[in-house]
Amino acid sequence: MAAKKFDMIVIGAGPGGYVAAIRGAQLGLSVAIVEREHMGGICLNWGCIPTKAMLRSSEVFHLMHRAKEFGLKADGIGYDLDAVVARSRSVAKQLNGGVAHLMKKNKVTTFMGEASLPAKGKVLVKTDKGSEELTAQAIVLATGARARELPGLEADGDLVWTYKHALTPTRMPGKLLVIGSGAIGIEFASFYNTLGADTTVVEVMDRVLPVEDAEISAFAKKAFTKQGMKIMEKSMVKQLDRAKGKVTAHIETGGKTEKMEFDTVISAVGIVGNTEGLGLEALGAKIDRTHVVTDAYCRTGVEGLYAIGDIAGAPWLAHKASHEGVMVAELIAGKNNVHPVKPESIAGCTYCHPQVASVGFTEAAAKEKGYDVKVGRFPFIGNGKAIALGEPEGMVKTVFDAKTGELLGAHMIGAEVTELIQGYVVGRQLETTEEDLMETVFPHPTLSEMMHESVLDAFDRVVHI
């Protein structure tokens, strides 16, 4: 079998891989992409996109119950879970087709199958029809990650679910346990709680959404509790006893264990990189706790082999993967002035209710790094647009370097903050100071005015509180 030769081969067609392939093709490289399951990867098919579609349904359901507040009438409010899921799947399917179209449009050769690297510069693809051998000087690993499963807490698809089961439920949970309060766990907790499940969230760390600023975590906990969720922090699920239609969870908090009964458990305790079966160790690539070790430019140390996205470690975010894909394609094409992706410049967004978004350092992290900080805060209740929307609960927090005025971090909770955060992301990218932000005119009435007020507050110039 004659090997097919390319300039660049990408393994994995998620948001890292397919974007790398497109950028490579734009720069005149001949590109192949290998995907074993779905074009668009987990994010598009089983992650970011379908979860947002489901959360939108629960948000509309929540607003329907508030109709009276807005002078509206809505009777007989209910939902059809199968229809909610069907809409979510159709959104994913539409975008999946869009990625396939983009590959064709950019003349990227697609191979559907399982890839392995038998030698440097070689990729073997096992397809339904047999095997294909591909060669290239540059190979980009973008194989992503999957849900971590803890011993004894493994999913069975019936009583214990992973994110995939939670996205295609066969029934509505009555009493739900969510293990883990990171973005995935808390989004599912928010969705099912809004639809009426009696929801308990167990988090091993000392607070929910543990990567967020402590004040934001505290605000979120208060909001979730008000919505009827039970939040258990510094707690660990030690054991699950499964019986017909029920699970008894042994939950340890502060050395004491209590047993609680549920009909459904969602496990969201992190991810593991898809590094197996590729032949990476034999090539000399280093793997640390299921992730490929790379430098700032995603180089693995093996000549011509790069790793991007979830397989290359935290932060595990689609937009980080895409940006790394562009960077690596530009390196391979020989472009100058290629800049590495800075993890602290990447925003994190969680689409629970209320939404949470952040970029840069938390107040605690900034202080740990030795900065003398100035901190500003502004509540949603002080913003006209938030009140008009009927969304007065939330806050914007900004952290500055007191000496230079550099924006070190921004942290938000409340309506539409996942859209607002980009203002601060751009500000940080352009190395904006507090003076620039204070002199920027924000349109009225908008939620974005709170971003201005939070900056003003950090420097004792706040107007509306």
Side-chain angles (χ1 to χ4, degrees):
M1 146 179 93
K4 292 179 179 169
K5 198 170 184 300
F6 296 91
D7 296 323
M8 169 179 166
I9 301 167
V10 183
I11 302 173
Y18 87 74
V19 170
I22 290 172
R23 186 66 185 129
Q26 285 174 345
L27 292 167
L29 302 175
S30 64
V31 183
I33 194 161
V34 184
E35 172 54 48
R36 69 178 178 186
E37 210 171 349
H38 307 286
M39 298 305 287
I42 292 295
C43 170
L44 203 148
N45 293 280
W46 294 104
C48 333
I49 301 299
T51 52
K52 302 314 156 279
M54 286 176 80
L55 283 158
R56 176 65 169 159
S57 292
S58 68
E59 182 187 13
V60 173
F61 182 67
H62 167 74
L63 285 170
M64 286 165 77
H65 280 92
R66 293 178 58 194
K68 199 175 173 188
E69 278 179 52
F70 297 93
L72 306 171
K73 287 180 183 173
D75 299 318
I77 300 162
Y79 63 85
D80 175 344
L81 187 60
D82 291 344
V84 169
V85 171
R87 177 180 181 270
S88 166
R89 299 316 309 151
S90 76
V91 167
K93 190 180 174 190
Q94 183 182 338
L95 291 169
N96 170 291
V99 173
H101 165 72
L102 286 170
M103 295 299 97
K104 274 186 194 156
K105 182 187 166 195
N106 288 280
K107 299 182 174 58
V108 173
T109 308
T110 302
F111 295 90
M112 294 303 292
E114 190 96 25
S116 60
L117 284 71
K120 203 168 74 171
K122 283 187 179 169
V123 175
L124 189 68
V125 186
K126 283 184 185 163
T127 69
D128 293 343
K129 294 168 187 165
S131 291
E132 295 262 18
E133 197 176 279
L134 319 176
T135 65
Q137 281 189 313
I139 296 170
V140 181
L141 297 170
T143 52
R146 61 186 184 277
R148 181 187 298 280
E149 297 217 77
L150 298 178
L153 312 183
E154 295 93 348
D156 53 38
D158 176 24
L159 299 168
V160 184
W161 297 352
T162 63
Y163 63 89
K164 272 197 180 182
H165 305 119
L167 276 167
T168 51
T170 50
R171 57 183 166 76
M172 176 67 193
K175 200 151 187 259
L176 172 66
L177 169 64
V178 177
I179 309 173
S181 76
I184 295 170
I186 218 70
E187 285 183 1
F188 281 123
S190 206
F191 172 77
Y192 283 109
N193 188 69
T194 302
L195 293 190
D198 177 356
T199 306
T200 299
V201 178
V202 171
E203 172 54 56
V204 71
M205 304 295 278
D206 62 353
R207 53 198 172 86
V208 290
L209 295 165
V211 302
E212 300 297 339
D213 187 88
E215 274 184 78
I216 301 297
S217 288
F219 196 109
K221 182 186 178 181
K222 212 169 165 184
F224 299 150
T225 305
K226 195 175 167 187
Q227 290 164 27
M229 284 190 213
K230 184 178 184 187
I231 306 287
M232 299 176 73
E233 296 158 330
K234 291 188 192 169
S235 300
M236 191 182 280
V237 178
K238 303 295 280 187
Q239 188 181 325
L240 294 176
D241 299 335
R242 306 170 202 224
K244 190 165 172 56
K246 68 171 186 178
V247 181
T248 304
H250 299 240
I251 304 170
E252 188 185 279
T253 310
K256 287 181 185 168
T257 301
E258 67 174 305
K259 292 181 185 179
M260 295 172 73
E261 213 172 89
F262 302 92
D263 60 50
T264 312
V265 178
I266 296 175
S267 176
V269 288
I271 62 170
V272 286
N274 294 323
T275 57
E276 304 89 347
L278 290 161
L280 298 179
E281 293 91 336
L283 285 175
K286 287 193 181 74
I287 293 170
D288 177 28
R289 285 166 293 180
T290 80
H291 294 94
V292 178
V293 179
T294 66
D295 67 6
Y297 290 94
C298 296
R299 294 177 293 214
T300 64
V302 176
E303 193 191 346
L305 184 65
Y306 301 81
I308 64 171
D310 286 359
I311 195 181
W316 296 292
L317 299 165
H319 42 289
K320 172 247 195 189
S322 297
H323 217 80
E324 286 178 341
V326 169
M327 176 189 74
V328 163
E330 292 184 348
L331 278 177
I332 292 166
K335 271 183 79 77
N336 297 322
N337 299 323
V338 178
H339 300 287
V341 179
K342 293 179 188 163
E344 67 275 11
S345 296
I346 299 166
C349 297
T350 307
Y351 298 78
C352 46
H353 181 73
Q355 290 183 6
V356 175
S358 59
V359 67
F361 303 128
T362 63
E363 182 182 352
K367 286 175 177 171
E368 267 170 45
K369 288 180 181 297
Y371 288 102
D372 179 14
V373 300
K374 278 190 179 287
V375 178
R377 297 169 188 83
F378 195 82
F380 270 50
I381 194 73
N383 177 264
K385 178 73 182 291
I387 294 167
L389 288 174
E391 300 286 356
E393 289 185 11
M395 70 177 284
V396 177
K397 177 177 178 176
T398 43
V399 182
F400 288 90
D401 181 345
K403 293 187 180 74
T404 65
E406 179 192 353
L407 175 63
L408 298 173
H411 310 276
M412 308 171 162
I413 184 166
E416 300 305 331
V417 296
T418 56
E419 297 292 341
L420 295 179
I421 194 66
Q422 187 60 11
Y424 286 135
V425 175
V426 172
R428 275 176 58 80
Q429 187 67 21
L430 298 178
E431 298 181 354
T432 303
T433 64
E434 93 290 0
E435 202 172 308
D436 298 321
L437 287 166
M438 287 197 272
E439 288 179 10
T440 300
V441 181
F442 286 71
H444 175 80
T446 63
L447 296 173
S448 69
E449 290 173 277
M450 293 184 282
M451 297 165 67
H452 191 217
E453 293 273 16
S454 179
V455 175
L456 293 171
D457 184 53
F459 294 87
D460 303 318
R461 287 179 50 181
V462 69
V463 177
H464 288 100
I465 48 166

